Amino acid sequence: MIRVQSADFDVGLELKKLTEGNRQIGAVTSFVGLVRDITGEDTISAMILEHYPGMTEKQLVDIEYEANQRWDLNSSLIIHRYGRLGPGDNIVLVACASSHRESAFDACHFLIDWLKTKAPFWKLEETSDGDRWVEANTKDDIATARWRK
Amino acid sequence: MIRVQSADFDVGLELKKLTEGNRQIGAVTSFVGLVRDITGEDTISAMILEHYPGMTEKQLVDIEYEANQRWDLNSSLIIHRYGRLGPGDNIVLVACASSHRESAFDACHFLIDWLKTKAPFWKLEETSDGDRWVEANTKDDIATARWRK
Amino acid sequence: MNLLYFAWIRIKMGVSGEHIDPPKNIKDIESLIDWIKQRNTISNEAFSDISNIRFAVNQEYVDIDHPVQPGDEIAFFPPVTGG
Amino acid sequence: MNLLYFAWIRIKMGVSGEHIDPPKNIKDIESLIDWIKQRNTISNEAFSDISNIRFAVNQEYVDIDHPVQPGDEIAFFPPVTGG
């Protein structure tokens, strides 16, 4: 399941729903991305997450589908927020449930790596030194590339 | 932090405590292990987790220390339950918080791989075909071996 | 043809999108960009460094030689920074 | 010397542990096991397949040639299945 929303999410509740009623699940791996208060040398007071409504959902559906094709998952979840967030706020949750831990780990890692390079979001940081668009990180491209078959 | 307990744990609450007040954390990766109701061909009605009090805590402290030496983590948590558990029950929680996702992922994966081969726990499954001790899995030894430096 | 702009391209263009009716000889993203740029200084400036711009046609990532046609939703944005 | 047994070794031995005072010639895990086995049929049976038994001395994993001495806590158990 994928969700794109401005509202916060409750990680514990979401993970509980992911496994509820399915007792074949032996492993749940999750990733939560949070807004940090410092990047590089500047203090961040807020981050504005802009996205491309429609394309975002489409890309997330595609990425989740691919993960479920590649790994034997019982369930998976991607929640990505947009809008104005403060330090410590949740940005993204990725969770994968499987019978075995390797599938759960690999699928979760795959999903967040792909989100970083494929989900159409852009981050504007409000810093002590003015507003600044976060630049794409070549390390993210490299991380994504290793999942290519 | 490590905890060995018979009581259940609240994943959402534990993850919240792990990041509370630290706004340098950008990534939290977690693993939850659950009791499955089927392994192989038999239905499992319960699992009894026996452990070696004293040695368990010692091994978990050592493993967590090593993870913190190898990766730049802001905080980490291992909770392992013992006693009688039913299908769907939580067994273990491993969580790692870091500024960046690669450290959080690798440390979490390392910890659960090591737990599988180093934490002195033994599982007795109560199945439709009688009680059965779970045998160690050579796949777990292989998974652990790849973390050797 | 609906054009959409995101992030700093949106800021530079001063609008989040526009409906256009380009001349018939525009067949792909590259010729579309050339046409957008020659309209005015703002557009020319916003699209001055194409290496920092990514393209989507009908919500799928495409390369600069991807064909475009009337009715398409065409988006221009910087490399994404989600997750 | 305190011996501890876990999982099916505990079941086979019928006790979770025992305090013993072995003869002086017992220097390592291997000679300790030989001594345990020769005491009675139950012990002999429980330790019949050493390849399925792991050892810890004072709560650290050790190999079969690890020295043992009075006062040690020595544990015998199957390969672990935690996590």
Side-chain angles (χ1 to χ4, degrees):
Chain A
M1 189 199 286
I2 69 115
R3 271 158 46 204
V4 182
Q5 61 188 46
S6 62
D8 195 11
F9 48 80
D10 179 330
V11 178
L13 185 69
E14 298 297 342
L15 294 184
K16 185 168 239 131
K17 286 194 292 187
L18 198 68
T19 57
E20 223 158 47
N22 188 334
R23 291 176 170 181
Q24 267 302 290
I25 295 172
V28 178
T29 304
S30 74
F31 174 86
V32 179
L34 303 152
V35 180
R36 297 165 64 205
D37 63 0
I38 296 180
T39 59
E41 299 187 351
D42 298 320
T43 303
I44 294 166
S45 53
M47 173 184 279
I48 294 165
L49 265 156
E50 177 174 341
H51 78 121
Y52 180 172
M55 181 166 172
T56 305
E57 289 81 356
K58 193 169 186 177
Q59 291 294 322
L60 297 196
V61 166
D62 286 354
I63 291 169
E64 187 187 42
Y65 177 81
E66 188 176 341
N68 278 271
Q69 290 292 108
R70 290 177 71 163
W71 289 280
D72 187 18
L73 304 179
N74 293 98
S75 49
S76 55
L77 174 68
I78 304 170
I79 305 178
H80 205 306
R81 295 179 69 190
Y82 61 86
R84 194 168 197 273
L85 306 175
D89 283 354
N90 292 324
I91 301 171
V92 63
L93 169 66
V94 176
C96 293
S98 178
S99 296
H100 301 290
R101 74 183 185 286
E102 291 306 326
S103 303
F105 257 110
D106 287 350
C108 187
H109 206 157
F110 165 87
L111 283 170
I112 186 66
D113 282 349
W114 274 92
L115 281 181
K116 292 265 173 190
T117 54
K118 288 288 176 181
F121 284 87
W122 302 275
K123 291 171 178 157
L124 181 68
E125 291 173 344
E126 299 178 5
T127 80
S128 44
D129 199 39
D131 290 358
R132 182 180 57 197
W133 290 98
V134 174
E135 286 191 27
N137 192 335
T138 51
K139 270 164 53 183
D140 289 329
D141 293 325
I142 294 163
T144 302
R146 78 194 164 94
W147 297 105
R148 293 223 172 85
K149 279 182 282 202
Chain B
M1 190 198 286
I2 69 114
R3 271 160 43 205
V4 182
Q5 61 188 46
S6 61
D8 195 14
F9 48 80
D10 179 329
V11 178
L13 186 69
E14 298 298 342
L15 295 183
K16 187 169 236 128
K17 287 195 292 186
L18 197 70
T19 56
E20 221 157 49
N22 188 334
R23 292 179 169 177
Q24 265 303 288
I25 295 172
V28 177
T29 304
S30 74
F31 174 86
V32 179
L34 303 151
V35 180
R36 297 163 64 205
D37 63 359
I38 297 179
T39 59
E41 298 188 351
D42 299 320
T43 303
I44 293 166
S45 54
M47 173 183 278
I48 293 166
L49 265 157
E50 178 176 339
H51 78 121
Y52 181 173
M55 181 165 171
T56 306
E57 289 80 355
K58 195 171 183 174
Q59 291 295 322
L60 297 196
V61 166
D62 286 355
I63 291 169
E64 188 187 41
Y65 177 80
E66 188 175 340
N68 279 272
Q69 291 292 109
R70 289 177 71 164
W71 289 280
D72 187 19
L73 305 178
N74 294 96
S75 50
S76 56
L77 173 68
I78 304 170
I79 304 178
H80 206 306
R81 294 179 71 189
Y82 60 87
R84 194 168 197 274
L85 306 176
D89 283 353
N90 293 323
I91 302 172
V92 62
L93 169 65
V94 175
C96 294
S98 177
S99 296
H100 301 289
R101 77 183 182 286
E102 291 305 328
S103 303
F105 258 108
D106 288 350
C108 187
H109 206 157
F110 165 87
L111 283 171
I112 186 65
D113 282 349
W114 274 91
L115 281 181
K116 291 266 173 189
T117 54
K118 288 290 175 180
F121 285 87
W122 302 276
K123 289 171 179 157
L124 181 69
E125 291 173 345
E126 298 177 5
T127 79
S128 45
D129 199 38
D131 290 359
R132 184 180 55 198
W133 290 99
V134 174
E135 286 191 29
N137 193 334
T138 52
K139 269 165 54 184
D140 289 329
D141 292 325
I142 294 164
T144 302
R146 77 195 165 94
W147 296 107
R148 292 219 174 88
K149 277 184 283 202
Chain C
M1 208 175 269
N2 280 307
L3 307 187
L4 299 174
Y5 309 121
F6 294 98
W8 57 255
I9 300 171
R10 175 178 54 75
I11 303 288
K12 285 192 179 182
M13 291 297 283
V15 290
S16 59
E18 53 184 321
H19 182 81
I20 60 158
D21 200 10
K24 289 274 182 286
N25 63 328
I26 288 172
K27 298 293 181 194
D28 58 17
I29 297 281
E30 188 166 25
S31 55
L32 175 61
I33 290 175
D34 288 341
W35 179 82
I36 292 170
K37 285 173 74 172
Q38 56 78 39
R39 296 181 309 171
N40 54 53
T41 319
I42 285 174
S43 303
N44 190 52
E45 161 63 18
F47 284 83
S48 60
D49 180 11
I50 290 181
S51 73
N52 272 324
I53 301 180
R54 300 291 175 268
F55 331 107
V57 172
N58 301 324
Q59 307 188 348
E60 296 287 353
Y61 291 100
V62 298
D63 290 327
I64 199 163
D65 59 357
H66 192 276
V68 297
Q69 53 191 335
D72 280 350
E73 175 176 300
I74 301 165
F76 299 95
F77 45 76
V80 304
T81 56
Chain D
M1 205 174 270
N2 280 307
L3 306 188
L4 297 174
Y5 309 120
F6 293 97
W8 56 257
I9 300 171
R10 174 178 56 74
I11 304 289
K12 286 193 176 180
M13 292 296 283
V15 291
S16 61
E18 53 182 323
H19 182 80
I20 60 160
D21 200 11
K24 288 274 181 288
N25 64 326
I26 288 173
K27 298 292 182 197
D28 57 17
I29 296 281
E30 189 165 25
S31 54
L32 174 62
I33 289 174
D34 288 340
W35 180 82
I36 291 170
K37 285 173 74 172
Q38 57 76 40
R39 295 181 310 172
N40 54 54
T41 320
I42 285 174
S43 301
N44 190 51
E45 161 64 18
F47 284 83
S48 60
D49 181 10
I50 290 183
S51 73
N52 272 322
I53 300 181
R54 300 292 175 267
F55 331 106
V57 172
N58 300 324
Q59 307 188 349
E60 294 287 353
Y61 290 99
V62 298
D63 288 327
I64 198 163
D65 60 354
H66 191 275
V68 298
Q69 52 192 337
D72 279 351
E73 174 176 301
I74 301 166
F76 299 94
F77 45 76
V80 304
T81 54

